[in-house]
Every structure is written in C-alpha cells, then in structure tokens.
Amino acid sequence: MATAHPTPDPDPSRVLDVLRASGVFGGLPDEVLRDLAATLQLQFVAGGDIVYREGEQAHTMFFLVSGRLRVSRRDRTGALQLYNEILPGESVGEAGLILQQPRAADITALRDSTLALLTRAEFDRLMVRHALALNRVFAQAIYNHLRHTSQVVRRRQAQIFVLVPLAPGNACRRVAQGLSRALAQIGRAQHVGPETERDLHPDATSGWVALDRYDQLEKQYDFLIYEADDDGSSWARRAFRQADQVVFVAPPDAPTAPGPLELRLREEPGFEMKRRHLVLLHPEGAGQPQEIAPWRAQRDLERIYPVRHGEASDFARLARFLTGKATGVVLGGGGARGFAHLGVLRALEQCRIPVDLIGGNSMGALLGAQYACGLPLDAIREQTMRFARGGERPTVPVISLVSGKRVQRDLQRMFGDRSVDALWRPFFAAACNLSRACTTVQDSGPLWRAVLASNSPVGLFPPVVHNGDLLVDGAILENVPVEAMRMRLGTRAEKRRGNGTIIAIDVDVQDYMGVDQNLTRLSAWRKLKSYLTPGAAASPGIGDILYRAGHIGGLNQRGRTIAQSDLYMEPPVGAFALMAYRQAAEIAEVGFRHAMKEIEQWDRSKMAS
C-alpha cells in the first residue's frame, strides 16, 4: 500500500458494522466478527491517492470502511482503463493475501477513505483461533474472485456530485438547485454550498474530523450535491476529493478554453478516476441548444448536457443520467411498419416512462430524430407521411436505381441547420459503413445527413459520403442498434447492463421470401405478368430483393438484439405492407395497443418515472 497512513479511529464500532454488512463475511458468528474487527488496522487514504499498484506483492487485504475506491489498469499503449468501484463493506485482496499473488490492478481512492487492514501475520493468528469459520468465508471469497462475482453489500452509500463553475456568475448555483430538486424526486438530496460548509464546519479541513462529517452526511442523504466556488479555494478542492462524479457548469456563451480552476483540478490526484460531465445552462425558454463540439474538443468528458434554466424535465433527465437510471429507446427500420414506433412512444408517455436518449436506424432514425427535436407525435406522423409521398426519380443505374436528391432536399428542409449533438434530448442514427465494414453511429454533424445515411438502402439510393466513407442503411449489419445504445447509455467505465434501461422496438417482419419450387430462375417477364394478372404466382422484384438483402444482417442478429436489450417489443405489424404509408394511423394504433400490453408485464421497480 503506497499512500495509506494509520490513524486512530474515533468510533471503532463502525468497523464491526462494515463487517456485518459484508455479503461474504457478514455470516460469521458474532464472536468471530468481533475478534476480526479487533485485529484490523485502520488507515486513512486521501482522495486521489493510490492504495495498491498493479504488480505489487500482496501482504494485506482490507475492508473499505468509508469512502469509495476505483479499480483501474493501463493497457499496452498506456491508456487508462476504468473498471468497477469499491463501496463500503466490500473486501479486497483475499486471493492475493492467501495465495501470495501480486496485485492484479491499481486501486485508487475516489474519495477520502478509511480502510481496515488485515496483515498476513494477523490472518495466520486468526486462522488458529477460528479455523473452520474463517476457512469457509475465505474459500467463498476466493471463489467469488475467480468467478468475478460482485460482492453483495447490505449498506447504502450516498452518491456525491461536485459542481464546478467554469465561468463567473450564478450558473453553478442554479444548476445545483435544479439538480437537487430533481434528485429529491428519487431520494433524499442535500445541496451543500461553499457558505453552508464554512458556516457549519469552519475548523474541519482534513483527517478524521472532516471524514466524520462527510460520513454523517452520507448517512442522512442519498445524494449530496457539493457546489464549489469559482476562486479555487480549499473548499473547492476538498469537495472535489469527496465526489464520485464531477459536473462542470458553464453558460453556453462562455469561453470554451479551460480556465484556472479547471486546470488546477486536473492536477489533483485521482482526477482521471472520476466520472466527468459538463452542463451548459441555457436561458429559460431557449429554443435550440448551442453547439457543444467546441466544449468537447478540449475535454475528456462522459457526456455534455444542454439544459434550460427552470425546465424541470431537463434537470430530471440530467439526474437520471448521473444516477444510472436513464432510459434509452432504440427504434428499428421497417418502412411504413415503423409508424408503430409512434404508438409505442405514446404508450411510454402515457405510462410516464421517460425517454432520455433515443436512437434508431432507417425509418426509426427518421421518426426518432423528429421526436428528439420535440415534435408532438401526431405532427411527426403527418410530416413523415408528407415526406413519404414525395417520391423519387429514377437515375442511370450506375451507382443506384434512384438519385436520392429529393429525399436529401426534403430532409434538409425538415431539420434545417440542426446538429445531432445540439438537441435537448440526445439522439443518434446508425448506418452501415461500406468502406470500413462496420456500423457507424452518427451522433454529431448535421441532423439531416445522419438521417439520410440511415435511410439510404444499398443499391436503391446512393451511399452518403462522409469523411471519405460510404454510408448506407444500417440494417445490413444491425437493424435495431442496441449495442450503440448500450455504449452511450452506460458510463465510460462500465458499458454493461445496470447503467439505465434499454427498450428496443423491432418492426422488421421476418417473413419467408420464396418462389414456386418448380422455378429454376427468376424472370423479369414473370414479374411483370404478376403485376398485370390477378392471382398470378408471386415473384420478388428488384425492390423486394434489395430490401431483403439490405436487412439480412439485422434479421440474422435478432437473437442478439433481444439479448442485449433490457426490454424488447415486436409489434404485430406483419399484415401491413412496407409501403403502406397511408395506413400510418392504423399502424401506430397497433403499436400503441401492443406496447400497453407489454408495459403491464414489466417490472418497473428499477426504472425511473
């Protein structure tokens, strides 16, 4: 252990409480727990300091009594890889202590933390006194380690955010107040400003006195919002040390270059270990967010949130993202059958299930982009029907069957100069990158171009050229881009389940496309005859074949789509033709009725509302 320092604990009973809360050690008899607690050595580690380094020889294990730690490693290129967080009650290092293995990763204190250490010598003495009981729990701990099983800790810990102003003014105070109100709808929240902290605890600057104060606050609240001042005082640095997540705050018209306080915090130990965000506070009633690209260019951030002062829904969305309770909705492609998405969105609204992030492919991208722009569902349906009636001109079939110029023109009229990353509700569109043989997720740049690329079926429309790459409808690889949603909904440290909820809607009907078994080849004349002769045997045309070929990857990946999503819907829209745009209202109603039935079956206990 590189930086921990022993310090007397004013309240030894808290160590016993931590042991009892442990999912592994909490089952020990009380006499064994008390003996174990008495042998542990308490040490204080300042936020940002290294606890263990990868490769060091293991001579101790520890229990985290208070604070929070982060596990990390460096890859072969030196890039930082963030892994799980360690919470109070969890134990670390059992396998290394018993098997004499080197440390497998770095462990850094995210906050000022208290550790309870067990040395090898004390472990050996305990094993003599309580061999049977301790053998059982340590065997279970090593088994969990080998299986990468998370410990279950029966102890709640508050989530702590520090809000750091990047410009003078009251933006940080306003965001702190708005976030506090939003978090209060989820649990017990407390806003602690610089003046409050100084008035209550003028002498508590470090060590156990300050740590006890923070522990008391964590016991009283579920969420603590520390508001830093903009002068780089000791309070700003101390609040930063206690926080799990850093939320920088600025008005959108402020200078984007990092200022003195931000640069100073970057030098604080543990800066890289904390989740970092930026809130751009727009005036009340602002119509459209300002561009965020200049802010991102100079910072490594998990996400940038444009919010409006006084807009409760914006702050509620911010709170859900920060606490891992955001809901992402993924809309797949499927022609006119995609109008079922509007019915599903109506059901979500009626059931008060928020849509914090929306993404889609093809028809799903077209509808999702309009929804992200804030259009009402009925307006989206009418506008999309007008768009679909526009038609398209055939062209010389050298690159594609149609030119795509009308579609591009109408999308430019529909979305104007809006950028994908300048929306109040985050959005992305998926496309297949023919140049790189992968899915390209468009979450920046002109909104019309992102939607156009996602709505350019290969062979039918010309590919969209972007940075030298050729982009087409994403259904070739993934029609319902759930993986892209998982990467954007999760935290930078852990792109996995548990970080919010993903709802996937698939309207691509997997029907059989075949012909009479007696046919040996397809004929253009036979296809023309099927158009002119009622009752003639069906024969696929070039549109059917191109559509099927363009969606074959998505159809093949349906099982993976279901597995990667938390909640999956497949509205029964097979009776509607791909081009049945005149039946938009009816298709949407089918989606609504299906969604209402599905939602009744969901376990919504872990979903925000």
Side-chain angles (χ1 to χ4, degrees):
M1 180 170 295
T3 57
H5 305 285
T7 311
D9 183 5
D11 185 11
S13 65
R14 75 166 121 187
V15 179
L16 194 56
D17 291 339
V18 166
L19 291 175
R20 285 171 173 157
S22 168
V24 176
F25 293 87
L28 285 169
D30 196 63
E31 62 195 56
V32 181
L33 278 177
R34 292 182 180 277
D35 198 3
L36 174 60
T39 64
L40 296 175
Q41 300 176 13
L42 289 160
Q43 293 190 336
F44 171 85
V45 182
D49 282 355
I50 299 291
V51 178
Y52 289 150
R53 294 188 184 275
E54 181 179 359
E56 289 181 345
Q57 193 61 38
H59 300 294
T60 61
M61 65 161 289
F62 69 82
F63 298 89
L64 182 60
V65 178
S66 65
R68 188 170 292 201
L69 312 176
R70 166 74 81 186
V71 181
S72 66
R73 299 186 71 184
R74 296 278 179 179
D75 64 17
R76 293 180 180 179
T77 67
L80 181 65
Q81 303 291 317
L82 301 181
Y83 295 99
N84 58 297
E85 295 181 0
I86 299 169
L87 306 180
E90 295 187 20
S91 55
V92 177
E94 303 93 335
L97 177 68
I98 297 171
L99 304 177
Q100 297 294 288
Q101 295 177 336
R103 305 298 185 190
D106 294 339
I107 297 181
T108 307
L110 275 178
R111 310 177 186 172
D112 289 349
S113 302
T114 309
L115 314 181
L117 299 177
L118 178 65
T119 65
R120 177 73 196 196
E122 290 296 343
F123 169 76
D124 290 338
R125 283 190 278 271
L126 282 170
M127 290 297 291
V128 171
R129 296 196 295 271
H130 312 288
L132 182 60
L134 289 178
N135 264 313
R136 287 176 177 171
V137 296
F138 276 97
Q140 182 64 49
I142 293 176
Y143 174 80
N144 291 345
H145 169 78
L146 295 176
R147 292 288 301 273
H148 303 285
T149 303
S150 299
Q151 300 182 36
V152 178
V153 180
R154 300 184 298 272
R155 185 182 182 189
R156 181 195 58 77
Q157 187 185 41
Q159 297 186 52
I160 301 180
F161 312 93
V162 59
L163 273 57
V164 178
L166 299 185
N170 59 1
C172 193
R173 172 57 54 92
R174 288 180 169 180
V175 171
Q177 293 170 340
L179 180 59
S180 298
R181 286 191 291 269
L183 290 171
Q185 302 301 311
I186 305 174
R188 296 169 297 174
Q190 177 66 23
H191 168 210
V192 181
E195 67 289 339
T196 306
E197 205 277 344
R198 284 192 291 264
D199 291 343
L200 292 176
H201 305 281
D203 300 322
T205 57
S206 62
W208 286 111
V209 177
L211 202 56
D212 282 343
R213 174 192 11 155
Y214 297 131
D215 283 349
Q216 289 301 317
L217 285 172
E218 286 193 56
K219 291 177 182 177
Q220 296 175 43
Y221 299 101
D222 301 301
F223 308 103
L224 294 172
I225 303 94
Y226 290 142
E227 178 196 347
D229 42 22
D230 59 8
D231 59 4
S233 68
S234 59
W235 158 243
R237 297 192 302 276
R238 193 160 62 250
F240 169 84
R241 265 206 334 267
Q242 304 313 314
D244 311 308
Q245 302 185 50
V246 182
V247 182
F248 294 109
V249 178
D253 56 355
T256 59
L261 176 57
E262 183 179 0
L263 293 174
R264 187 169 184 176
L265 290 179
R266 290 184 185 184
E267 300 301 319
E268 288 286 320
F271 179 83
E272 289 183 308
M273 301 295 166
K274 297 180 186 290
R275 294 174 58 190
R276 300 184 297 278
H277 316 262
L278 171 62
V279 170
L280 296 177
L281 182 65
H282 292 68
E284 186 173 2
Q288 185 174 332
Q290 294 191 25
E291 290 286 345
I292 65 174
W295 292 91
R296 189 180 295 280
Q298 304 182 65
R299 295 170 177 84
D300 182 15
L301 300 166
E302 185 172 304
R303 190 173 280 109
I304 298 178
Y305 309 86
V307 301
R308 290 159 288 194
H309 173 56
E311 185 65 43
S313 62
D314 288 354
F315 283 97
R317 184 179 302 117
L318 170 63
R320 290 190 291 270
F321 271 116
L322 295 179
T323 58
K325 295 182 180 295
T327 299
V329 175
V330 191
L331 311 178
R337 295 163 178 164
F339 282 114
H341 294 316
L342 300 181
V344 174
L345 291 172
R346 178 159 68 96
L348 295 177
E349 290 181 354
Q350 187 165 310
C351 295
R352 301 178 62 83
I353 297 174
V355 178
D356 297 307
L357 173 61
I358 192 164
N361 175 66
S362 193
M363 184 63 159
L366 175 60
L367 298 173
Q370 296 174 76
Y371 191 73
C373 289
L375 268 68
L377 294 174
D378 289 342
I380 295 174
R381 187 186 72 243
E382 294 300 321
Q383 182 168 261
T384 304
M385 290 176 65
R386 289 195 300 271
F387 172 79
R389 287 195 295 264
E392 188 56 84
R393 291 184 178 181
T395 187
V396 179
V398 176
I399 296 174
S400 59
L401 296 179
V402 299
S403 68
K405 292 181 179 179
R406 193 282 305 177
V407 169
Q408 177 175 328
R409 181 200 67 208
D410 287 358
L411 287 176
Q412 289 174 320
R413 289 175 177 173
M414 183 182 295
F415 296 112
D417 61 354
R418 285 179 180 265
S419 176
V420 180
D421 54 4
L423 300 168
W424 303 116
R425 178 184 281 109
F427 166 78
F428 69 83
C432 175
N433 190 318
L434 293 180
S435 305
R436 304 179 186 274
C438 66
T439 296
T440 290
V441 179
Q442 303 159 96
D443 52 11
S444 62
L447 185 56
W448 68 263
R449 188 182 63 197
V451 176
L452 176 62
S454 193
N455 280 271
S456 295
V458 64
L460 185 61
F461 281 71
V464 172
V465 180
H466 177 50
N467 293 334
D469 291 346
L470 304 178
L471 306 183
V472 297
D473 191 315
I476 294 178
L477 295 176
E478 188 179 14
N479 189 43
V480 188
V482 174
E483 185 175 357
M485 178 63 77
R486 180 66 64 192
M487 295 297 292
R488 281 152 184 77
L489 191 63
T491 70
R492 183 174 52 190
E494 299 175 82
K495 313 292 186 184
R496 58 171 176 78
R497 287 184 183 274
N499 296 311
T501 301
I502 292 180
I503 303 172
I505 301 101
D506 193 345
V507 296
D508 201 10
V509 177
Q510 190 167 0
D511 50 5
Y512 175 73
M513 188 177 77
V515 296
D516 190 319
Q517 294 183 2
N518 295 320
L519 285 180
T520 58
R521 65 187 301 272
L522 295 180
S523 164
W525 292 111
R526 184 181 296 273
K527 180 60 180 176
L528 290 173
K529 183 179 180 181
S530 70
Y531 288 137
L532 301 173
T533 307
S539 179
I542 187 171
D544 303 313
I545 295 170
L546 287 176
Y547 180 87
R548 186 63 167 224
H551 282 240
I552 200 72
L555 292 171
N556 186 58
Q557 294 291 329
R558 177 162 287 169
R560 182 183 176 191
T561 298
I562 296 172
Q564 288 184 327
S565 58
D566 298 298
L567 299 165
Y568 175 84
M569 292 190 207
E570 193 175 327
V573 291
F576 299 97
L578 285 171
M579 305 300 290
Y581 290 97
R582 295 179 182 273
Q583 296 177 275
E586 185 179 347
I587 297 172
E589 184 62 26
V590 170
F592 173 76
R593 292 197 301 268
H594 177 77
M596 292 300 291
K597 291 179 181 178
E598 290 291 309
I599 292 171
E600 288 180 1
Q601 308 301 317
W602 290 354
D603 177 8
R604 295 171 57 185
S605 60
K606 297 181 180 179
M607 297 180 65
S609 60

Coordinates of all heavy atoms in Angstrom, one line a residue, residues 14-27 33 63-64 88-90 151-156:
R14 N -17.9 1.3 14.0 CA -18.2 1.3 12.6 C -17.5 0.2 11.8 O -18.0 -0.3 10.8 CB -17.9 2.7 12.0 CG -16.4 3.0 11.7 CD -16.3 4.2 10.8 NE -15.5 5.2 11.5 CZ -15.3 6.4 11.0 NH1 -16.0 6.8 10.0 NH2 -14.6 7.3 11.7
V15 N -16.4 -0.3 12.2 CA -15.7 -1.4 11.6 C -16.5 -2.6 11.7 O -16.7 -3.4 10.8 CB -14.3 -1.6 12.2 CG1 -13.6 -2.8 11.5 CG2 -13.4 -0.4 12.0
L16 N -17.1 -2.9 12.9 CA -17.9 -4.0 13.1 C -19.2 -3.9 12.3 O -19.6 -4.9 11.7 CB -18.3 -4.1 14.6 CG -18.9 -5.4 15.1 CD1 -18.0 -6.6 14.8 CD2 -19.2 -5.4 16.6
D17 N -19.7 -2.7 12.1 CA -20.9 -2.6 11.2 C -20.6 -2.9 9.8 O -21.4 -3.5 9.1 CB -21.4 -1.1 11.3 CG -22.0 -0.8 12.7 OD1 -22.4 -1.7 13.4 OD2 -22.1 0.4 13.0
V18 N -19.4 -2.5 9.3 CA -19.0 -2.8 8.0 C -18.9 -4.3 7.8 O -19.3 -4.9 6.8 CB -17.7 -2.1 7.6 CG1 -17.0 -2.7 6.4 CG2 -17.9 -0.6 7.5
L19 N -18.3 -5.0 8.7 CA -18.1 -6.5 8.6 C -19.5 -7.2 8.6 O -19.7 -8.1 7.8 CB -17.3 -7.0 9.8 CG -15.8 -6.6 9.8 CD1 -15.1 -7.1 11.0 CD2 -15.1 -7.2 8.6
R20 N -20.4 -6.7 9.4 CA -21.7 -7.3 9.4 C -22.5 -7.1 8.1 O -23.3 -7.9 7.7 CB -22.5 -6.7 10.6 CG -22.1 -7.3 11.9 CD -22.7 -6.6 13.1 NE -22.4 -7.2 14.4 CZ -22.5 -6.6 15.6 NH1 -22.8 -5.3 15.6 NH2 -22.2 -7.3 16.7
A21 N -22.2 -5.9 7.4 CA -22.8 -5.6 6.2 C -22.2 -6.4 5.0 O -22.8 -6.4 3.9 CB -22.8 -4.1 5.9
S22 N -21.1 -7.0 5.2 CA -20.4 -7.7 4.1 C -21.2 -8.9 3.6 O -21.7 -9.7 4.5 CB -19.0 -8.1 4.5 OG -18.4 -9.0 3.6
G23 N -21.3 -9.0 2.3 CA -22.1 -10.2 1.8 C -21.3 -11.5 2.0 O -21.9 -12.6 2.0
V24 N -20.0 -11.5 2.2 CA -19.2 -12.7 2.4 C -18.9 -12.9 3.9 O -19.2 -14.0 4.4 CB -17.9 -12.6 1.6 CG1 -17.0 -13.8 2.0 CG2 -18.1 -12.5 0.2
F25 N -18.4 -11.9 4.6 CA -18.0 -12.0 6.0 C -19.1 -11.8 7.0 O -19.0 -12.1 8.2 CB -16.8 -11.1 6.3 CG -15.6 -11.4 5.5 CD1 -15.4 -10.9 4.2 CD2 -14.6 -12.2 6.1 CE1 -14.3 -11.3 3.5 CE2 -13.5 -12.6 5.4 CZ -13.3 -12.1 4.1
G26 N -20.2 -11.2 6.5 CA -21.3 -10.9 7.5 C -22.0 -12.1 8.1 O -22.6 -12.0 9.1
G27 N -21.8 -13.3 7.5 CA -22.4 -14.5 8.1 C -21.5 -15.2 9.2 O -21.9 -16.2 9.7
L33 N -16.6 -12.3 14.4 CA -16.6 -10.9 13.8 C -15.9 -9.9 14.7 O -15.1 -9.1 14.3 CB -18.0 -10.5 13.5 CG -18.7 -10.9 12.2 CD1 -20.1 -10.5 12.2 CD2 -17.9 -10.5 11.0
F63 N -10.8 -4.1 4.2 CA -12.2 -3.8 4.1 C -12.3 -2.3 3.9 O -11.6 -1.6 4.6 CB -13.0 -4.3 5.3 CG -13.0 -5.7 5.6 CD1 -12.0 -6.3 6.3 CD2 -14.0 -6.6 5.1 CE1 -12.0 -7.7 6.6 CE2 -14.0 -7.9 5.3 CZ -12.9 -8.5 6.0
L64 N -13.2 -1.9 3.1 CA -13.4 -0.4 2.9 C -14.5 0.0 4.0 O -15.6 -0.5 3.9 CB -13.9 -0.1 1.5 CG -14.1 1.4 1.3 CD1 -12.9 2.2 1.5 CD2 -14.7 1.7 -0.1
P88 N -18.2 0.9 0.5 CA -18.0 0.4 1.9 C -18.7 -0.9 2.2 O -19.8 -1.2 1.7 CB -18.7 1.6 2.7 CG -18.6 2.8 1.9 CD -18.7 2.3 0.4
G89 N -18.0 -1.7 2.9 CA -18.4 -3.1 3.2 C -17.8 -4.1 2.3 O -17.8 -5.3 2.7
E90 N -17.2 -3.7 1.2 CA -16.5 -4.7 0.3 C -15.1 -4.9 0.8 O -14.5 -4.1 1.3 CB -16.6 -4.2 -1.1 CG -18.0 -4.1 -1.7 CD -17.9 -3.7 -3.2 OE1 -16.9 -3.9 -3.8 OE2 -19.0 -3.2 -3.7
Q151 N -19.6 -8.6 -4.9 CA -20.0 -8.8 -3.6 C -21.3 -8.1 -3.3 O -21.6 -7.0 -3.9 CB -19.0 -8.2 -2.6 CG -17.6 -8.8 -2.7 CD -16.6 -8.2 -1.7 OE1 -17.0 -7.9 -0.6 NE2 -15.4 -8.1 -2.1
V152 N -22.1 -8.7 -2.5 CA -23.4 -8.1 -2.1 C -23.2 -7.4 -0.8 O -22.9 -8.1 0.2 CB -24.5 -9.1 -2.1 CG1 -25.8 -8.5 -1.6 CG2 -24.7 -9.8 -3.4
V153 N -23.4 -6.1 -0.8 CA -23.1 -5.3 0.5 C -24.5 -4.8 0.9 O -25.1 -4.1 0.1 CB -22.1 -4.2 0.2 CG1 -21.9 -3.4 1.5 CG2 -20.8 -4.8 -0.3
R154 N -24.8 -5.0 2.1 CA -26.1 -4.6 2.7 C -25.9 -3.2 3.4 O -26.3 -3.0 4.5 CB -26.7 -5.6 3.6 CG -26.9 -7.0 3.0 CD -27.6 -7.9 4.0 NE -26.7 -8.2 5.2 CZ -25.8 -9.1 5.2 NH1 -25.6 -9.9 4.2 NH2 -25.1 -9.3 6.3
R155 N -25.3 -2.3 2.6 CA -25.1 -1.0 3.2 C -25.3 0.1 2.2 O -24.6 0.0 1.1 CB -23.7 -0.9 3.9 CG -23.5 0.5 4.6 CD -22.1 0.5 5.2 NE -21.9 1.8 5.9 CZ -20.7 2.2 6.4 NH1 -19.7 1.5 6.1 NH2 -20.6 3.3 7.0
R156 N -26.1 1.0 2.4 CA -26.4 2.1 1.4 C -25.3 3.2 1.6 O -24.9 3.5 2.6 CB -27.8 2.7 1.6 CG -28.1 3.8 0.7 CD -29.3 4.5 1.2 NE -29.1 5.1 2.5 CZ -28.3 6.2 2.7 NH1 -27.8 6.8 1.7 NH2 -28.2 6.7 3.9

